[in-house]
Amino acid sequence: VLAALLGLGAVLAYGERRRRAAQATPAPRYPVYTREEVRRHRTPADRVWVTHGTEVFDVTDFVELHPGGADKVLLAAGGALEPFWALYAVHSQPHVLELLREYKVGDLSPSEAPPSPDGTQDPFAGDPPRHPALRVNSLKPFNAEPPAELLTERFLTPNELFFTRNHLPVPAVDAGAYRLHVEGPGGRALSLSLPELRGRFPKHEVTATLQCAGNRRTEMSRVRPVKGLPWDIGAISTARWGGARLRDVLLHAGFGERREGEWHVCFEGLDADAGGAPYGASIPYGRAVSPVADVLLAYEMNGEELPRDHGFPVRVVVPGVVGARSVKWLRRVAVSPAESPSHWQQNDYKGFCPSVDWDTVDYRTAPAIQELPVQSAITQPRPGAAVPPGELTVKGYAWSGGGREVVRVDVSLDGGHTWQAAELAGERAAPGRAWAWVLWELRAPAVEAGTELEIVCKAVDASYNVQPDTVAPIWNLRGVLSNAWHRVRVTVS
Amino acid sequence: VLAALLGLGAVLAYGERRRRAAQATPAPRYPVYTREEVRRHRTPADRVWVTHGTEVFDVTDFVELHPGGADKVLLAAGGALEPFWALYAVHSQPHVLELLREYKVGDLSPSEAPPSPDGTQDPFAGDPPRHPALRVNSLKPFNAEPPAELLTERFLTPNELFFTRNHLPVPAVDAGAYRLHVEGPGGRALSLSLPELRGRFPKHEVTATLQCAGNRRTEMSRVRPVKGLPWDIGAISTARWGGARLRDVLLHAGFGERREGEWHVCFEGLDADAGGAPYGASIPYGRAVSPVADVLLAYEMNGEELPRDHGFPVRVVVPGVVGARSVKWLRRVAVSPAESPSHWQQNDYKGFCPSVDWDTVDYRTAPAIQELPVQSAITQPRPGAAVPPGELTVKGYAWSGGGREVVRVDVSLDGGHTWQAAELAGERAAPGRAWAWVLWELRAPAVEAGTELEIVCKAVDASYNVQPDTVAPIWNLRGVLSNAWHRVRVTVS
């Protein structure tokens, strides 16, 4: 309701400003600023500046009028509007630009040049440009998540906002020279160009959520320090993937429906460390060849070719499984009696008892994470927010591993004492193949001014697995598998 | 260590008593008791009496010397020893009987007759006899669980102790006249006699744990009353099942590997209510026909024909799935586009938000329970026990639904503040086909006299799902899916 009212207010404001613009005198000459000077204006206290083309605008007075909510326009504060407007088509209207001009305060300095690419020795110098809304948890390698404000705005995460988890520099791949190697025991081998991968196998499309094992790690590190990137709740995103089924490629390469004993399919990326060792991971053979597990060799993401950060030209997408197995920039698929020998398969991405520390950890005692446990988080309101009295809308996402549909999300406004079931929205999936998250929403009856709420969510999946109440008992030294109830405290004022 | 010492002490006692027996005078005449009189002697305070054949023994002084532990001999207190000795072959030795004779205090009255079967109008009058160790939660229909003291004594639960969950009277089935009907849309039908079921399809054997959805309901009802039988932690047992694969029978009947859309396989039992409505349930077609889901039409349980209480002559066994779908006394298998119309599929065995009560429940909003969530419980020590100072052995079981192996059990002696991983013992299963529980054990370092311990266990499965910390947030009106951490308080003295 509030957003709708703001929307109406903003439209009224458009009309008023258009009348005033018509009476205005010719445009004055404006002062000239550098991008660095613009970047200093990121909060209402410092004034909120943005750029569009070569122009600089002070939109401080518009922030609260923004139809999509103040939090959304603040994501662009201190930088360019274009990457945000590209995501939200509603801005492609003449009156939006006209409205913006009212706020013009300067021009960008003509001497303003893009940052010099002086990092020829920097292995990350070839990394692609990224969307400014991403919250960067590590620049080299690049690891970033969409802000919670945008995470559940849409069911499919725009490619530019999809969380990025790179272990190494982004390889520069010549699509024309690209070959995918499929190998197995006994010298069986296949080499596929990109046109061959596209042409020889039917394109299969799957909507699947990928989640990093470290999603929500910051909550775990508050219990006790852990080793790992400080992911908030955004190391999870959803896309519509298109590509060849791994099953079809394996059968084409001569591998059968079933193999006696325990077999695995190992993946290697084109990304490699300074010593040339590539990123690698594996999944059980049964999942790779299953007609219902929908494992893809994907070359499309939301209808476009894969962005460089997400594995151009080909990546694996293993629905229902930890993101670490969905190897990007895929160069090699190998059928093997053993799991991938990669560091990331053998000595990382495993869970341990809270008493295990770096002195005592023995990675051989725990299985490599494949399917992830049931998960959910609150994206709205944000922690520490002041919410107005009256009806309160709480929003978030929920997902579970292994294709297990989320069947219920319970929400509490009193720290977990009483619960209500939220409304769920998502795509209808075949049983056992619910690879995508559900978005959920609860409209809570009137909350009273002057109170403090502890909002909590917990999800239930089709196996009736639930999230644990608290973080400490699932703490582990690597900070993975953080899926306790998500808790957000807000004040009503 | 303690048990071993007791064992040694008991063996020494055997020798001493044998010497004294040799010197004894001819047996005196004994007083005569009824079974009812024997039944009044069930605790050391009332003296512990047992019977063997027609003789009555006061074994009060032997209880603490019992090599298997005092708790085990007390299970037979007030009744016959034979059903217990039949389970534990160690008792089939001459010196055991000789030792027992030392404790003789009487004979059973010759007029003692079995209870008269005067219930010809009682639909449960034809129910089979049961093992006296079972803890009965409802007599008609019969619902009973093995006591925790025996639950994890063996990896395979003896048939006599396997938990029994009957919804209706046990049908009396004439094996010679038995027919299993397999039906589907379009009039496809098959009728199989028992020899045909055994002869036409290969026998397939699977070790699988069955668990009732109501296991551990008593913990849930302590939060708020629920409707259902008061199961403690024993509504779970494990057997080696043998039978025809449902898959083989379905394929033989002309059904294919896959069906377009959502299909189910419905089961009906020969047990029926007063109106003739049979017990029924269903599972998704994909599971029924899966080559790796191991769904059986079982006619054997631990190498014997099915006991009457467990479905003689044929029952379904659906590994990894709530026991309610493993229909006993199977009369009909039907392939259908809808789930079973049975009350137990439609309006029972579903989970709900804790805020849903009998006024507001709408069964259509929740999916029928199929796979159960990860579970574990402590079987030793028992709640309220006084344990001796020094090393403490904690034992229990852990299991998860869907064939997801239990990969870790964490045990805490301080209510969940600190944890240690337990040792796991079980059968090695193929990945994704871990249908049987694991038994676990933790030998805790010295516990100090005068302290109180809150022992807690929680399990982690191969999808890294964990148990929730507390019961209240998963409370539901039917008291199903109770899988919070199991907690046992003991004093060290």
Side-chain angles (χ1 to χ4, degrees):
Chain A
V1 171
L2 187 66
L5 282 175
L6 272 178
L8 178 62
V11 169
L12 292 175
Y14 291 154
E16 172 60 19
R17 282 167 192 286
R18 190 179 296 129
R19 274 193 300 280
R20 281 199 276 128
Q23 300 156 7
T25 48
R29 285 209 314 214
Y30 286 98
V32 167
Y33 299 107
T34 64
R35 289 198 187 273
E36 179 51 38
E37 284 169 313
V38 174
R39 208 168 290 134
R40 287 181 209 138
H41 297 276
R42 307 184 69 161
T43 66
D46 296 327
R47 309 296 297 170
V48 176
W49 287 14
V50 294
T51 67
H52 188 263
T54 59
E55 297 175 295
V56 178
F57 306 90
D58 178 344
V59 295
T60 315
D61 298 337
F62 179 71
V63 167
E64 287 299 330
L65 296 174
H66 184 244
D71 53 345
K72 308 300 187 306
V73 72
L74 284 173
L75 291 169
L81 285 174
E82 286 90 337
F84 295 89
W85 286 13
L87 291 178
Y88 296 94
V90 66
H91 296 96
S92 306
Q93 300 179 61
H95 77 263
V96 175
L97 207 53
E98 196 182 316
L99 167 62
L100 183 67
R101 291 227 174 81
E102 291 294 302
Y103 296 105
K104 179 160 179 177
V105 292
D107 284 302
L108 280 173
S109 163
S111 71
E112 185 73 22
S116 68
D118 62 349
T120 47
Q121 294 310 307
D122 179 358
F124 295 93
D127 270 19
R130 277 97 184 200
H131 197 280
L134 290 171
R135 297 275 159 85
V136 179
N137 294 317
S138 121
L139 201 57
K140 299 174 181 184
F142 189 73
N143 285 281
E145 62 190 295
E149 290 84 347
L150 300 183
L151 192 57
T152 53
E153 285 275 296
R154 296 179 184 184
F155 181 73
L156 295 180
T157 316
N159 290 357
E160 296 84 344
L161 293 182
F162 202 98
F163 88 96
T164 303
R165 203 294 177 234
N166 293 344
H167 296 83
L168 295 160
V170 177
V173 183
D174 173 357
Y178 173 81
R179 309 290 303 186
L180 173 64
H181 302 281
V182 183
E183 295 162 26
R188 236 188 299 239
L190 190 67
S191 170
L192 295 165
S193 69
L194 201 50
E196 285 167 343
L197 184 69
R198 286 175 172 271
R200 284 198 198 162
F201 307 96
K203 187 167 99 175
H204 191 77
E205 288 192 282
V206 177
T207 305
T209 296
L210 294 185
Q211 183 182 203
C212 177
N215 191 28
R216 302 183 57 201
R217 177 179 286 136
T218 47
E219 292 160 68
M220 210 167 253
S221 58
R222 267 177 234 135
V223 172
R224 225 155 73 226
V226 297
K227 197 172 137 186
L229 297 162
W231 296 107
D232 188 30
I233 63 171
I236 183 169
S237 302
T238 300
R240 180 89 179 151
W241 307 93
R245 293 205 297 183
L246 176 57
R247 167 189 168 82
D248 295 341
V249 173
L250 289 175
L251 296 182
H252 180 79
F255 298 103
E257 292 270 355
R258 271 191 287 281
R259 299 183 74 79
E260 284 301 308
E262 196 180 307
W263 285 81
H264 303 266
V265 177
C266 303
F267 308 117
E268 272 180 22
L270 287 158
D271 49 337
D273 66 19
Y279 180 79
S282 61
I283 62 173
Y285 188 82
R287 181 178 293 275
V289 82
S290 160
V292 294
D294 292 321
V295 181
L296 293 190
L297 303 180
Y299 43 75
E300 280 184 12
M301 181 176 181
N302 291 327
E304 300 170 10
E305 71 180 14
L306 289 185
R308 286 190 61 209
D309 259 335
H310 298 290
F312 177 83
V314 176
R315 77 174 297 173
V316 185
V317 171
V318 191
V321 158
V322 61
R325 313 299 169 213
S326 288
V327 173
K328 302 195 269 194
W329 314 292
L330 186 67
R331 77 171 188 195
R332 185 167 176 264
V333 173
V335 174
S336 160
E339 286 185 280
S340 166
S342 156
H343 161 79
W344 292 278
Q345 188 78 21
Q346 298 292 334
N347 296 319
D348 200 355
Y349 294 118
K350 297 186 173 189
F352 293 95
C353 180
S355 60
V356 172
D357 222 320
W358 292 104
D359 299 334
T360 55
V361 65
D362 176 358
Y363 275 97
R364 289 166 303 180
T365 62
I369 298 169
Q370 295 281 348
E371 294 184 4
L372 285 173
V374 60
Q375 173 72 287
S376 71
I378 299 157
T379 56
Q380 177 189 317
R382 296 296 297 145
V387 301
E391 192 181 73
L392 173 67
T393 299
V394 184
K395 287 187 181 183
Y397 64 77
W399 181 83
S400 190
R404 291 181 284 277
E405 189 183 4
V406 168
V407 299
R408 208 178 76 234
V409 175
D410 296 337
V411 179
S412 172
L413 302 183
D414 57 8
H417 292 289
T418 62
W419 300 90
Q420 297 167 75
E423 299 258 329
L424 310 185
E427 287 184 354
R428 178 103 187 114
R433 295 164 83 180
W435 311 123
W437 63 14
V438 297
L439 303 184
W440 55 263
E441 183 172 322
L442 181 86
R443 287 176 180 251
V447 294
E448 275 180 50
T451 56
E452 191 168 288
L453 306 179
E454 185 182 2
I455 310 173
V456 187
C457 72
K458 63 179 173 80
V460 182
D461 75 12
S463 300
Y464 282 99
N465 271 304
V466 298
Q467 297 176 245
D469 310 18
T470 58
V471 186
I474 56 167
W475 184 96
N476 60 80
L477 73 177
R478 249 327 237 111
V480 291
L481 304 160
S482 185
N483 75 328
W485 299 354
H486 190 223
R487 297 162 193 264
V488 166
R489 286 173 187 276
V490 300
T491 52
V492 185
S493 60
Chain B
V1 170
L2 187 66
L5 282 177
L6 272 178
L8 179 61
V11 168
L12 292 175
Y14 290 154
E16 172 59 21
R17 283 166 192 287
R18 190 178 299 132
R19 272 191 301 281
R20 283 199 274 128
Q23 299 157 10
T25 48
R29 286 208 310 213
Y30 287 99
V32 167
Y33 298 106
T34 63
R35 288 198 188 275
E36 179 51 37
E37 283 168 313
V38 174
R39 207 170 291 133
R40 289 181 207 136
H41 296 275
R42 308 184 66 163
T43 66
D46 296 326
R47 309 297 294 171
V48 176
W49 288 12
V50 294
T51 67
H52 188 262
T54 58
E55 297 174 297
V56 179
F57 306 90
D58 178 343
V59 295
T60 314
D61 298 337
F62 179 69
V63 166
E64 286 299 329
L65 296 173
H66 184 244
D71 53 346
K72 308 299 186 308
V73 72
L74 284 173
L75 292 169
L81 283 174
E82 286 92 336
F84 295 88
W85 286 13
L87 290 178
Y88 295 95
V90 68
H91 296 95
S92 306
Q93 300 180 59
H95 77 264
V96 175
L97 207 53
E98 196 182 317
L99 169 62
L100 183 67
R101 292 227 174 80
E102 290 295 303
Y103 296 104
K104 180 160 178 178
V105 292
D107 285 302
L108 279 173
S109 162
S111 70
E112 184 76 21
S116 67
D118 64 346
T120 47
Q121 294 311 305
D122 179 359
F124 296 93
D127 271 19
R130 277 96 184 200
H131 197 279
L134 289 171
R135 297 274 158 86
V136 178
N137 294 316
S138 118
L139 200 57
K140 300 174 182 185
F142 189 73
N143 285 280
E145 61 189 295
E149 290 83 347
L150 300 182
L151 191 57
T152 54
E153 285 275 295
R154 297 178 183 184
F155 180 73
L156 294 181
T157 316
N159 289 357
E160 296 84 345
L161 294 181
F162 203 98
F163 87 96
T164 302
R165 204 290 176 238
N166 294 345
H167 296 82
L168 295 161
V170 176
V173 183
D174 172 358
Y178 173 81
R179 309 289 306 183
L180 174 64
H181 302 280
V182 183
E183 296 163 24
R188 235 188 299 240
L190 190 67
S191 170
L192 295 166
S193 69
L194 202 51
E196 286 168 343
L197 185 69
R198 286 176 173 270
R200 284 199 197 160
F201 307 95
K203 187 167 99 176
H204 191 77
E205 288 192 282
V206 177
T207 304
T209 296
L210 293 186
Q211 184 183 203
C212 176
N215 191 28
R216 301 182 58 200
R217 177 179 285 137
T218 49
E219 293 160 68
M220 209 166 255
S221 59
R222 266 177 236 135
V223 172
R224 224 156 72 227
V226 297
K227 196 173 138 187
L229 297 163
W231 297 106
D232 187 31
I233 63 171
I236 183 170
S237 302
T238 300
R240 180 89 178 153
W241 306 94
R245 294 204 299 183
L246 176 58
R247 165 189 169 82
D248 295 341
V249 173
L250 289 174
L251 296 182
H252 180 80
F255 299 102
E257 293 270 356
R258 270 190 288 280
R259 300 183 73 81
E260 284 302 308
E262 196 180 309
W263 286 79
H264 303 266
V265 178
C266 302
F267 309 116
E268 272 179 23
L270 287 159
D271 50 336
D273 66 18
Y279 181 79
S282 61
I283 61 173
Y285 189 81
R287 180 178 294 277
V289 82
S290 161
V292 294
D294 292 321
V295 182
L296 293 190
L297 304 180
Y299 43 74
E300 281 184 12
M301 181 176 182
N302 291 327
E304 300 170 11
E305 71 179 14
L306 290 186
R308 287 189 61 209
D309 257 334
H310 298 289
F312 178 82
V314 176
R315 76 175 296 173
V316 186
V317 171
V318 190
V321 159
V322 62
R325 312 301 168 212
S326 288
V327 174
K328 300 194 272 195
W329 315 292
L330 186 67
R331 77 171 188 194
R332 184 166 176 264
V333 173
V335 174
S336 162
E339 287 184 279
S340 166
S342 158
H343 162 78
W344 292 277
Q345 188 78 20
Q346 298 292 332
N347 295 321
D348 200 355
Y349 293 118
K350 298 187 172 189
F352 292 95
C353 179
S355 61
V356 173
D357 222 318
W358 292 104
D359 298 334
T360 55
V361 65
D362 177 357
Y363 275 97
R364 290 166 303 180
T365 62
I369 298 170
Q370 294 282 346
E371 294 184 4
L372 286 172
V374 60
Q375 173 72 289
S376 70
I378 298 157
T379 56
Q380 177 189 317
R382 296 296 296 144
V387 302
E391 192 181 74
L392 172 68
T393 299
V394 184
K395 286 186 179 184
Y397 65 77
W399 181 82
S400 190
R404 291 181 284 278
E405 187 183 6
V406 168
V407 300
R408 208 177 74 235
V409 176
D410 297 336
V411 179
S412 172
L413 301 185
D414 57 8
H417 292 289
T418 62
W419 300 90
Q420 299 168 73
E423 300 257 329
L424 309 185
E427 287 185 355
R428 178 104 187 112
R433 295 164 83 181
W435 310 124
W437 63 13
V438 297
L439 302 185
W440 56 262
E441 183 171 323
L442 181 85
R443 286 176 180 251
V447 293
E448 276 180 52
T451 56
E452 191 168 288
L453 306 179
E454 186 182 2
I455 310 175
V456 188
C457 71
K458 63 179 172 82
V460 182
D461 76 12
S463 298
Y464 282 100
N465 271 305
V466 298
Q467 297 176 245
D469 311 18
T470 58
V471 186
I474 55 166
W475 184 96
N476 59 81
L477 72 175
R478 249 329 236 108
V480 290
L481 304 161
S482 184
N483 76 328
W485 300 353
H486 189 223
R487 297 162 194 264
V488 166
R489 286 173 188 276
V490 300
T491 52
V492 185
S493 59

